[in-house]
Each structure stands twice: as C-alpha cells, then as structure tokens.
Amino acid sequence: MENLAYIVLFGHIGFILVGGFMTVLAESLVRALLGLIMTLFGVAGLYFLMAAPFIGLMQILIYVGAVSVLIFFAIMLTQAWSGGDEAKPRSAKTFIYAIMGALAPAVFLGMAVIRTAPPSIFTPEETEIKALGQFLLEPYILPFELISLLLTIAMAGAVILGFERRKQR
Amino acid sequence: MIETIPTQLIAIGVGLAAVMAFIGLNGLVLVYLERKVAGFIQRRPGPYEVGPYGLLQPLADGLKLVGKQMFTPKGADAFLYWLAPIISIAPVLVCFLAVPFGPHVTIFKDMNVGLILILAFTGINVLALCLAGWASQNKYALLGAARDISQSVAYEIPLLLSVLPIIFMTGTFNLYEISMGQGSWPWQWHVATQPLAFVIFFICALAETNRAPFDLPEAESELTAGFHTEYSGMGFGVFFLAEYAYMIIACSVATVLFLGGWNGPLVSGWWWFLTKVYLLLLVMMWFRWTYPRVRFDQLLNLCWKWLIPLTVINLLITALVVAI
C-alpha cells in the first residue's frame, strides 16, 4: 500500500515535470499550452492525493476548463505557426540563465517548506466542503472579499483598456 | 500479488470497463433512435433495410467506421490531431463513475463532490474540440472551434448557476444523496419547486453538448462539418460516441437533480432512471428535428440577456426562501 502511494506520488511529479518541460521547450504554441494543461492536471492529481478532492476538481474546472480555453482563444487570434522568432535555437547562456531562474524560487520555497514542515500523517483526512465554506466566510472573510475585489478591478481594467484601444483606431 | 491491490482500485477498473460497454451500447441505440426519430418527423421510414426494422443499421455503420482508413491531412499537427478525439472521450468515462443509476447500481456512493466532478470533467470537451479544429489546418474546422469556445464559455455560466439552487436546497454535492432526498411522485421532485432552473439547465445542456438548435460548431450547411471536417473513420467515430456520451451525462444529471433520479411511482429502481434519461434524450432529438439552427448573435443574446439574469434572480429567490 505504501509503495503504491509512492508510485502514484512520483508518477504525478513526473507528469508535472514532463508537462512543464513541454510548455517551455515546445516549438508550437498549442503544444506548449498542452504541456501547461498536463501540469495543471498533475497538480489537480496532487490535491486528490492530499485528500482535497474539492480543490482538485476546482483546479480542473477553473484552470483546465476555463483559463486554458481562453488562452487557446488568444492563440487562435494570433497566427502562431511554429517557425516564428521563438522557434530559433537558444544559446547555451540563455539556457543556463533559464534553469537558474527556474530553480531560484524552487530552492527558496523548498527550504522554507522543509524547515517549517508540519508533522505529516499517513492517511490525510478529507475536509468537508461545509467546513471549507465556513472557513472562507468566518475567519478568512477579509482575504476572501479582497480577492474578489482584486478580480473586479482586473476585469474593469481589462474593459477600460479594450475600449481605449478601440478609440485609437 | 493480488492481495496488495486495494479493492477500490479494482472497483474503479471494473467500473470503467462497465462504463465503456455502456457507452458503446448506448451509442448504437441512440444512433438508431436518432435516425428513426428523424425519419418519423420528416415522414419517411428511416433505416429499414438492414435487419428487422433496420435494427442492425448502427452495427453496419460502426463496422464501416472501423474499416475506414485513418487519414491525416497534409500540414496538420499529427500528434495533436489524433490526441483530440482521445481527450474528447476520456473525461466522460470518469463522469459516469459518479452517476447514481439506482440505489444499488452506483459505482461510488460516497463521492461527496460527484456533481462538481461531472461539471469539471465535462468542461474538458471544449478543449478537445479546439484542439481538433486547430490541428486540422482547415478554415472550416478552425471556425467551428472558435464558435465552440465562445458558445461553451458563455453557456457554462447559466449552467452552473442553474445547478446552484438545488445545492442550496439539499446542502450537498453528492448525487446519491440528492437522489435519496426526493420522493417517488413527480410533485416530490425538485422540478416541482425549481421548474425555471430545470428549463434553463436543459437549454444549457443542449448548448454545451452542441445539439441542435445550438449546433453551430458543426453546422453542416455553413461549415461542412465544423471542427471534425477532416476526421475520417474512427477519428470521427470517437467524436460521435463522445457526443452521445455527453448527452447521456447531461440527461443523467438533469434526472438526478430535477426528476428524482431513480425514484418513481410504484417500484423505485434503475429502470426509472433509465426511462427518464431516455425520455430526455428523445426530447433532445425532438428539438433537433423541430427547430432551425439559431444565428450566432441570437445564441449569445439568449445566453447573456436572458438566461444569466434569470438564473441569478432564481438563485437569489431560492437563497432568500432557504434562509427563511
């Protein structure tokens, strides 16, 4: 049972890594998006492993079902065939910088997580959706409302920018 | 070795195999029904040559599809092109795991997030259709995919909002519990208290499954066949099967949420569930051959100007009543 859990965990991590590298290295934008979707799916799977199926499904519903579809729409508006500027081979220097840039947050965050890790339990317990809702609306109501305010501002900003562009033409 | 495999994994495996068989069988039945219903509505016999009453026609169709050459168009991204049908059919298999067919015929009874699971995984179909349209390198396919995105993104909102009143009333996402909470007579079902939500859910389900009168992504008369123009053989066959499977899922969710699930007069059981699902499917087919296809602006106007405000008002009233 424990071995099976390890296989599933590392399977997910491998899946996420493959997706991530596909996103960065793919020559066509749509393939890169597919890699991104793979990563998002892998992260959703990790939520399931941590016995948080609600969060995992929300990840799929929002990021895979909505956000990546909108990204797809944006890609279709551009004429993004492979063979553009991004498809040129990269120099070794850029490559090293990219790897260092990618590793930096992982190292800092990883160290913080390892140092302050809470004691783990073998079988995680599932939090009820009702409890989640109460958490969001009672002790965490201020951040919850602030996030929705942030989204409203972002949307209003997008609308204003869109209308300004139209006037210039 | 066998003892080390947990029973839940075996249950999932057996369940998935059963679901695949169910989808395949339903595909055959629905293709036959669709063609017969179309025939009756247009005052012609429909298929009647192959077997008694043309019953073997879907089998002949299936064999023809399997036997055809799989053809990749020139200049298409072959990997994405063949991945698209697989992405289209794979999520629907997962959705069936949460559907309560009957009090004893449910694969996962204690799935607390069953409804969200279905909503999340049906949303992936849009992505498959986009990939198919984009990878085909064909302008009709690309137009079909673009239409599909704006249609699905728009109709996802009233779909979710029309489901929410039921969640408010029952306080659970578990489809099994929602079925259990309804009585055996029609006036004890949720459709009696939420008729508006049911109608809106059904309209949105039609739009999300790309059924006529909302079949703009595959409009035959203007886009040849929309996103699956280039697909031959089983590439097209898998898309077709997935579309029928999504129709069954949509009708199953409507049955569970609004029509009492497996509960029915006299003896409750999976037979009532299947009867209701098939009645809804027949209504879908009836719509398809009755209404002309809507224009694109009509489609979006219907969604943004009518369905979304109506669902929001309905939701607010429900919340008020529940709070009192």
Side-chain angles (χ1 to χ4, degrees), chain A residues 13-163:
Chain A
I13 292 176
F15 195 74
I16 292 173
L17 282 180
V18 169
F21 277 110
M22 204 170 139
T23 314
V24 186
L25 298 177
E27 285 181 0
S28 112
L29 269 180
V30 177
R31 284 198 184 195
L33 177 64
L34 203 73
L36 181 66
I37 292 164
M38 264 177 82
T39 312
L40 294 172
F41 249 105
V43 173
L46 283 183
Y47 284 129
F48 273 92
L49 266 187
M50 289 188 280
F54 182 74
I55 311 285
L57 288 174
M58 277 298 159
Q59 164 102 357
I60 293 176
L61 184 71
I62 295 169
Y63 283 96
V64 180
V67 172
S68 53
V69 169
L70 288 178
I71 297 178
F72 206 113
F73 201 54
I75 291 177
M76 284 210 294
L77 291 178
T78 66
Q79 285 220 315
W81 311 118
S82 54
D85 286 341
E86 292 83 2
K88 280 176 196 158
R90 306 154 185 85
S91 66
K93 208 169 153 191
T94 338
F95 211 77
I96 293 167
Y97 284 159
I99 287 176
M100 276 164 61
L103 276 182
V107 167
F108 288 127
L109 284 178
M111 264 171 47
V113 166
I114 288 169
R115 275 193 190 161
T116 57
S120 67
I121 39 175
F122 276 109
T123 40
E125 282 171 35
E126 190 182 332
T127 317
E128 267 189 273
I129 302 170
K130 269 182 192 162
L132 268 181
Q134 270 167 354
F135 263 121
L136 277 183
L137 287 182
E138 276 159 17
Y140 293 103
I141 185 144
L142 187 67
F144 184 69
E145 292 296 326
L146 280 180
I147 288 170
S148 47
L149 194 68
L150 185 75
L151 285 178
T152 318
I153 294 170
M155 261 182 21
V159 169
I160 290 170
L161 283 178
F163 274 109

Side-chain angles (χ1 to χ4, degrees), chain B residues 20-317:
Chain B
M20 283 182 210
F22 182 71
I23 290 176
L25 205 66
N26 259 303
L28 294 182
V29 175
L30 287 176
V31 166
Y32 177 75
L33 267 182
E34 178 105 52
R35 296 181 66 173
K36 271 292 182 194
V37 168
F40 284 129
I41 289 177
Q42 298 171 343
R43 302 198 70 181
R44 57 186 174 85
Y48 66 100
E49 284 279 358
V50 192
Y53 303 104
L55 274 172
L56 297 179
Q57 182 67 47
L59 272 182
D61 287 351
L63 279 177
K64 183 199 76 178
L65 279 178
V66 172
K68 271 192 173 178
Q69 188 191 356
M70 310 267 272
F71 189 77
T72 312
K74 193 181 169 192
D77 191 333
F79 173 65
L80 295 178
Y81 182 75
W82 289 113
L83 191 69
I86 300 171
I87 295 184
S88 179
I89 193 122
V92 82
L93 300 177
V94 184
C95 293
F96 273 101
L97 292 180
V99 173
F101 290 95
H104 306 293
V105 198
T106 308
I107 299 171
F108 284 118
K109 274 183 194 173
D110 51 351
M111 193 178 269
N112 292 329
V113 284
L115 185 59
I116 305 185
L117 180 111
I118 289 179
L119 291 173
F121 277 88
T122 46
I124 300 172
N125 192 32
V126 195
L127 210 65
L129 303 196
C130 297
L131 272 182
W134 190 86
S136 297
Q137 291 279 43
N138 174 316
K139 55 178 173 287
Y140 294 124
L142 198 62
L143 273 175
R147 284 179 175 193
D148 185 54
I149 293 180
S150 36
Q151 178 175 334
S152 301
V153 166
Y155 275 84
E156 192 99 333
I157 304 166
L159 184 85
L160 294 177
L161 286 177
S162 64
V163 167
L164 271 180
I166 304 294
I167 308 300
F168 277 15
M169 284 162 61
T170 57
T172 175
F173 286 112
N174 190 333
L175 291 175
Y176 187 80
E177 281 174 22
I178 294 175
S179 303
M180 288 286 277
Q182 298 176 72
S184 50
W185 295 96
W187 54 87
Q188 293 169 319
W189 299 342
H190 288 317
V191 70
T193 42
Q194 294 286 352
L196 184 67
F198 174 63
V199 172
I200 292 176
F201 179 84
F202 198 66
I203 293 173
C204 296
L206 281 176
E208 287 279 316
T209 50
N210 302 327
R211 289 287 297 183
F214 304 113
D215 61 343
L216 288 132
E218 43 188 299
E220 294 90 350
S221 47
E222 26 193 302
L223 298 180
T224 54
F227 63 90
H228 57 61
T229 304
E230 293 287 349
Y231 282 86
S232 62
M234 271 322 272
F236 166 73
V238 169
F239 273 124
F240 211 62
L241 209 58
E243 186 181 319
Y244 278 120
Y246 281 111
M247 278 164 64
I248 299 169
I249 284 287
C251 290
S252 306
V253 174
T255 306
V256 170
L257 291 182
F258 298 101
L259 299 181
W262 66 75
N263 296 299
L266 304 178
V267 192
S268 299
W270 54 267
W271 44 89
W272 274 113
F273 185 84
L274 283 188
T275 312
K276 288 171 194 168
V277 167
Y278 266 84
L279 276 178
L280 285 180
L281 286 170
L282 280 174
V283 172
M284 274 189 167
M285 288 172 188
W286 181 28
F287 276 6
R288 171 166 178 185
W289 301 105
T290 308
Y291 291 109
R293 184 177 302 124
V294 295
R295 260 194 347 251
F296 203 77
D297 56 321
Q298 290 170 334
L299 174 95
L300 292 182
N301 276 346
L302 176 73
C303 177
W304 292 103
K305 291 188 183 162
W306 287 98
L307 297 183
I308 292 179
L310 276 178
T311 44
V312 169
I313 293 168
N314 191 29
L315 189 66
L316 285 177
I317 294 171

